[in-house]
């Protein structure tokens, strides 16, 4: 086709994106099918009687219970939830860092595959399932929640740390090894400084997630705000539940802000 | 600064490191904070090795094998799996309905009053801040908590899970949609707004074409998370695999629990794969 | 320690030949400057001597022993006695200068001492003494990512000085320094070699520094040794032939050119004055 012939031809339209159209149809079909399958009786749900009951239920959440005795209890629950999240995350940082070393391929292919398998397994099981298992292993109470968070978060942090280690430049460590340094010292002086800042950021981000999860784990008996909330809701004490929900919100907001502050500041020097 | 200092190996007078006090203080502070935290969390590792716990755990784990494969149980399992998928899909669909309008209101990319700046700037800014505040509040409480509340309100079943997802994931989708829209082709949008186009016009003609892929990609990723969340919400009575697993574990039926756990892991892998495939098709 | 290369050659994995038939012998305490245009193989030669690269052909002898025949532990101990100054020091930014310098002795410190020194530097005064010799003493507690390229290069030199090795190999150690600091730094390396009898091999791009400080010059071009002469026997036509590919002027880091250096210093290796 000569240049002049190409210039003379009318501009062709782009062919429609068949993949996108098929996808859109698929999505609509899936959503419709889902609502149909769930067979939620909408007429009954939005009936006058049903709405009245809902309104009554919501109304009982206000005003929240602010008696000093209950506020003290809520504060204690919040502190316990924070402790569970903090200790769980701390354990996960240590364990995750330890497993990240083989998972980054430092010790060969077989350890790498094995470590990654362990991390994937730890990550895939949700915290609530871990908590249910830990309640059996360690008894009811916040310790089960701490362990559950530690196990799940080890999988998450371990994988992130392994990727950081793999992406870190090998040049400083190689230079030190060629200067006669031992393996541990070379790692500590050369590779560790390259990954700690990002590692702390990941840990703080997970702490924010874990605060929310720690509250939830209380539902299976792991203490803190969650356990209190479950209890008060099951005996239909909405006013107390309302206070606890507000406490949860305040705790989450406080930890999010603290984490953002620490992440924003420059971390101190390494060594 | 004589180089002769090297010949006379005089030990140098000790030099004070300015960072030492800060590090010592940090260490003391860490210990002081850690101790009460460990106490609050009732950190007693020796409880893991308590014989009665070990016995119950051993029995429970022993019951894991063989996994339950009775046909009526498997039928129940299949229904529960479909229900979980349905909860996740319906939940994300509702979340999208919640998030999309909020994101359109909250995004700076469609702010007419910022051009100039023109009239109504303060009102516009406060509306945007308020909307972002709403999105933050929606996100703050975990979906499982909402599920618990809705179960108390609506009774056991998947409806509670769908509504809980709509609320929480609506907040998450809304926040990320806002950010994605602001990272899109804002100059074209602004050009359209300056030419007097209504906001929805600028949205569909400028912002959406440049960000559609990223928006869709994130939504699919959230759907994958919703599948996991649906299982977790089932533990508080919102239906699906989670509710089934909760019942089996309460009855310490290890065989059923292990089958359900395996099904869950398989479901997560399939959902991950589907999500990755769709996201690859989109790009 | 004595160094000897016999007909050494190196071919990189991608097939590029970096060195061809290089034979050099150095006695204990000798000082040699390796000069030549870019791409001549100077860096490869330094890395070969430092056991960082293994020769594809020929052999390397350190104190009449082949280091590549040693076991892992013995090789590690040997490497601790060789100090390498890199052109671009591979030092993580978040490390402080004091720790970067103290890392020079990691080859001799036990692991627990190394880790403890990360928290509280064990010999900050010793590190400072080395930095003082390079006019960098006041930056001892700063972070490395706050330093300029030239300052970081001097930290790399200070690290090797702190290591107190028996062989010092420097790969273009002053490329980012201005003439006065470059002179000071090369002088510090030479002084170290003189006082402790360490063998010094420095690859330099600037001819004037090589002529001023080193009694023996090795010229390299395209991976081969072109000449290996005492300082006095190096003529300006030899240098111009060497650098023919880089244009008429010889690369230098100071005002002096060949004749000027000869006239003023007469191969004097007096220690540099303070400042």
């Amino acid at each position: 086709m000569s240049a002049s012939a190409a210039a003379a031809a009318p501009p062709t339209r782009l062919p429609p994106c068949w993949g996108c159209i098929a996808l859109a149809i698929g999505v609509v079909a899936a959503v419709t099918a889902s609502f149909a399958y769930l067979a939620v009786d909408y007429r009954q749900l939005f009936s006058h009687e049903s709405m009245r009951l809902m309104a009554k239920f919501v109304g009982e959440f206000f005003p929240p219970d602010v008696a000093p005795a209950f506020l003290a209890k809520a504060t204690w629950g919040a502190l316990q939830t924070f402790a569970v999240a903090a200790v769980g995350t701390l354990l996960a940082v240590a364990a995750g860092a330890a497993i990240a070393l083989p998972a980054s391929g430092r010790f060969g292919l077989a350890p790498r595959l094995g470590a990654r398998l362990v991390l994937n397994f730890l990550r895939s099981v949700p915290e609530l399932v871990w908590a249910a298992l830990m309640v059996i292993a360690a008894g009811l109470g916040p310790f089960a929640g701490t362990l559950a968070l530690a196990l799940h978060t080890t999988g998450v942090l371990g994988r992130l740390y392994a990727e950081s280690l793999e992406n870190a430049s090998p040049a400083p460590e190689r230079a030190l090894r060629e200067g006669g340094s031992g393996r541990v010292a070379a790692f500590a002086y050369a590779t560790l400084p390259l990954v700690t800042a990002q590692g702390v950021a990941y840990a703080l981000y997970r702490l924010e997630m874990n605060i929310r999860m720690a509250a939830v784990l209380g539902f299976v008996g792991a203490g803190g705000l969650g356990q209190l909330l479950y209890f008060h809701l099951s005996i239909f004490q909405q006013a107390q539940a309302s206070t606890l929900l507000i406490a949860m919100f305040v705790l989450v907001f406080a930890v999010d802000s603290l984490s953002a502050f620490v992440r924003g500041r420059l971390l101190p020097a390494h060594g | 600064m004589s180089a002769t200092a090297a010949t006379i190996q005089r030990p140098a007078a000790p030099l004070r490191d300015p960072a030492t006090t800060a590090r010592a203080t940090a260490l003391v502070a860490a210990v002081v904070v850690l101790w009460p935290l460990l106490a609050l969390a009732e950190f007693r590792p020796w409880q893991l090795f308590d014989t009665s716990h070990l016995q119950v755990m051993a029995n429970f784990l022993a019951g894991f094998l063989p996994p339950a494969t009775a046909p009526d149980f498997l039928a129940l399992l299949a229904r529960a799996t479909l229900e979980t998928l349905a909860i996740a899909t319906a939940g994300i669909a509702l979340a999208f309905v919640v998030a999309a309008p909020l994101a359109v209101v909250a995004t700076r990319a469609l702010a007419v009053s910022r051009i100039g700046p023109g009239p109504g700037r303060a009102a516009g800014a406060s509306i945007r801040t308020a909307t972002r505040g709403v999105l933050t509040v929606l996100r703050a409480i975990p979906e499982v908590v909402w599920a618990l509340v809705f179960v108390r309100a609506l009774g056991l079943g998947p409806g509670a899970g769908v509504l809980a997802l709509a609320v929480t994931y609506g907040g998450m989708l809304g926040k990320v949609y806002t950010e994605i829209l602001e990272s899109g082709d804002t100059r074209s949008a602004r050009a359209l707004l300056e030419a007097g186009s209504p906001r929805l016009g600028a949205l569909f003609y400028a912002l959406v074409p440049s960000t559609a892929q990223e928006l869709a990609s994130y939504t699919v990723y959230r759907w994958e998370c919703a599948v996991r969340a649906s299982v977790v919400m089932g533990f508080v009575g919102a239906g699906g695999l989670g509710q089934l697993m909760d019942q089996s574990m309460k009855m310490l039926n290890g065989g059923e629990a292990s089958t359900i756990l395996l099904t869950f892991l398989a479901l997560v892998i399939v959902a991950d794969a589907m999500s990755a495939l769709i996201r690859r098709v989109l790009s | 320690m004595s160094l000897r290369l016999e007909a050494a050659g190196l071919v990189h994995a991608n097939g590029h030949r970096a060195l061809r038939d290089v034979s050099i012998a150095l006695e204990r305490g000798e000082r040699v400057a390796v000069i030549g245009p870019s791409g001549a193989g100077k860096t490869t030669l330094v890395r070969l001597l430092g056991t960082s690269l293994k020769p594809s052909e020929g052999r390397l002898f350190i104190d009449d022993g082949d280091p590549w025949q040693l076991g892992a532990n013995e090789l590690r101990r040997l490497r601790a006695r060789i100090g390498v100054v890199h052109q671009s020091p591979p030092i993580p930014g978040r490390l402080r200068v004091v720790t970067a310098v103290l890392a020079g002795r990691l080859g001799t410190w036990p692991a627990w001492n190394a880790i403890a020194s990360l928290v509280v530097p064990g010999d900050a005064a010793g590190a400072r003494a080395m930095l003082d010799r390079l006019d960098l003493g006041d930056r001892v507690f700063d972070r490395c990512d706050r330093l300029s390229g030239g300052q970081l290069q001097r930290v790399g030199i200070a690290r090797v000085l702190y290591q107190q090795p028996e062989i010092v190999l420097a790969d273009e150690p002053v490329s980012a320094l201005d003439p006065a600091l470059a002179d000071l730094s090369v002088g510090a390396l030479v002084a170290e070699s003189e006082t402790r009898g360490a063998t010094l091999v420095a690859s330099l791009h600037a001819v004037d520094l090589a002529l001023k400080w080193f009694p023996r010059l090795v010229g390299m071009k395209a991976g081969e040794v072109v000449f290996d002469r005492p300082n006095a026997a190096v003529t300006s036509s030899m240098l111009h032939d060497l650098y023919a590919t880089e244009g008429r002027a010889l690369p230098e880091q100071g005002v002096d050119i060949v004749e000027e250096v000869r006239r003023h210093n007469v191969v004097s290796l007096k220690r540099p004055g303070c400042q």
Side-chain angles (χ1 to χ4, degrees), chain B residues 19-277:
Chain B
T20 315
T21 32
R23 289 177 184 186
T25 327
L27 188 66
V28 168
V31 172
V32 163
V33 167
L34 192 64
W35 202 252
L37 280 181
L38 288 174
L40 268 173
E42 293 181 21
F43 190 72
R44 299 180 201 127
W46 50 91
Q47 270 183 292
L48 279 172
F49 304 105
D50 184 277
T51 35
S52 62
H53 289 147
L54 283 176
Q55 193 63 44
V56 174
M57 189 68 170
N59 289 341
F60 179 68
L61 286 177
F64 260 46
L65 297 167
T69 46
D72 45 352
F73 175 70
L74 287 183
L76 203 61
L77 190 66
R79 269 207 300 280
T81 312
L82 283 178
E83 193 170 67
T84 297
L85 282 172
I87 295 172
T89 315
I92 284 284
L94 275 186
F96 179 81
V97 167
V98 167
L102 287 176
V104 167
V105 170
T107 185
R108 280 196 286 265
L110 289 173
V112 178
S113 58
R114 284 183 85 217
I115 301 174
R121 185 156 194 224
S126 52
I127 290 177
R128 277 197 299 281
T129 317
T131 316
R132 281 165 195 242
V134 167
L135 287 172
T136 312
V137 167
L138 288 178
R139 272 185 5 249
I141 311 278
E143 63 273 6
V144 192
V145 178
W146 286 119
L148 184 67
V149 172
F150 287 132
V151 161
R152 293 283 170 266
L154 303 171
L156 292 172
V162 171
L163 284 178
L165 279 179
V167 170
T168 332
Y169 278 45
M172 288 183 209
L173 284 180
K175 174 184 179 225
V176 177
Y177 284 173
T178 317
E179 288 167 8
I180 292 178
L181 287 176
E182 277 167 14
S183 72
D185 191 2
T186 49
R187 288 181 58 225
S188 303
R190 193 182 149 121
L192 283 175
L193 290 173
E194 281 173 2
S197 150
R199 286 199 191 84
L200 285 181
L203 174 71
F204 285 110
Y205 278 80
L207 286 180
V208 168
S210 59
T211 54
Q213 185 235 311
E214 209 179 332
L215 291 170
S217 179
Y218 186 74
T219 314
V220 170
Y221 167 71
R222 271 292 142 202
W223 173 81
E224 184 193 322
C225 297
V227 171
R228 282 175 224 243
S230 303
V231 173
V232 173
M233 288 191 293
F235 270 80
V236 297
L241 272 181
Q243 193 167 332
L244 203 62
M245 170 125 53
D246 185 45
Q247 287 162 355
S248 301
M249 286 186 72
K250 285 211 171 84
M251 298 194 292
L252 287 182
N253 189 329
E256 286 182 4
S258 72
T259 318
I260 300 171
L261 195 61
L262 286 170
T263 316
F264 167 68
L265 289 174
L267 180 65
V268 162
I269 292 175
V270 167
D272 273 14
M274 276 179 65
S275 157
L277 181 67

Side-chain angles (χ1 to χ4, degrees), chain A residues 178 180 182 189 196 268 270-271, chain C residues 52 76 94 96 99 107 114 118 143:
Chain A
E178 287 168 3
Y189 275 71
T196 33
H270 183 104
Chain C
S52 165
R76 176 161 104 77
R94 287 188 60 240
R96 288 189 301 170
T99 313
L118 271 179
R143 276 168 59 144

Side-chain angles (χ1 to χ4, degrees), chain A residues 53-68:
Chain A
L53 280 172
M54 280 268 269
K56 181 163 174 290
F57 179 76
V58 170
E60 280 163 10
F61 273 90
F62 306 97
D65 181 355
V66 289

Side-chain angles (χ1 to χ4, degrees), chain C residues 55-135:
Chain C
S56 329
E57 302 141 2
R59 292 180 69 187
L60 167 70
F61 292 97
I62 301 184
D63 264 352
D64 295 317
D66 184 344
W68 294 105
Q69 306 294 337
L70 294 174
N73 276 332
E74 290 164 325
L75 184 58
R76 176 161 104 77
R77 277 193 288 272
L78 176 66
R79 282 172 168 166
R81 293 155 67 196
I82 304 174
V84 178
V85 182
H86 298 265
Q87 179 174 12
S88 177
I91 299 177
R94 287 188 60 240
L95 224 53
R96 288 189 301 170
V97 170
V98 60
T99 313
V101 172
L102 292 177
R105 289 208 189 141
L106 285 178
T108 47
W109 281 350
W112 63 265
N113 192 7
I115 305 296
S117 198
L118 271 179
V119 183
V120 177
D123 185 17
R128 165 125 201 190
M130 301 301 142
L131 291 164
D132 280 338
R133 288 159 68 177
L134 297 162
D135 197 19

Side-chain angles (χ1 to χ4, degrees), chain A residues 108-242:
Chain A
L109 187 61
R112 181 173 190 270
L113 290 174
R116 292 221 163 204
L117 199 67
V118 168
L119 290 174
N120 272 336
F121 174 68
L122 290 174
R123 258 180 55 234
S124 305
V125 179
E127 295 96 323
L128 210 56
V129 177
W130 278 124
L133 284 171
M134 287 300 112
V135 160
I136 299 176
L140 279 175
F143 185 42
T146 312
L147 284 176
L149 283 178
L151 284 168
H152 180 89
T153 313
T154 300
V156 175
L157 284 180
R159 173 165 156 190
L160 289 170
Y161 289 170
E163 280 170 4
S164 291
L165 284 174
E166 281 181 330
N167 293 335
S169 163
E173 191 169 344
R174 190 172 41 225
L176 284 181
R177 296 294 318 278
E178 287 168 3
S181 166
R183 270 205 278 250
V184 174
F187 176 75
Y189 275 71
T191 308
L192 208 53
L194 292 175
V195 298
T196 33
Q198 183 71 289
V200 170
Y202 284 144
L204 284 172
Y205 180 63
R206 277 322 294 190
L207 179 65
E208 290 179 33
M209 299 283 119
N210 283 348
I211 284 284
R212 294 161 167 82
M213 278 321 299
V216 168
L217 294 184
F219 294 172
V220 294
L225 284 176
Q227 192 162 336
L228 286 171
L229 183 66
Y230 194 84
F231 171 69
H232 285 283
L233 271 179
S234 40
I235 56 175
F236 291 99
Q237 286 186 338
Q238 270 86 299
Q240 282 73 18
S242 176

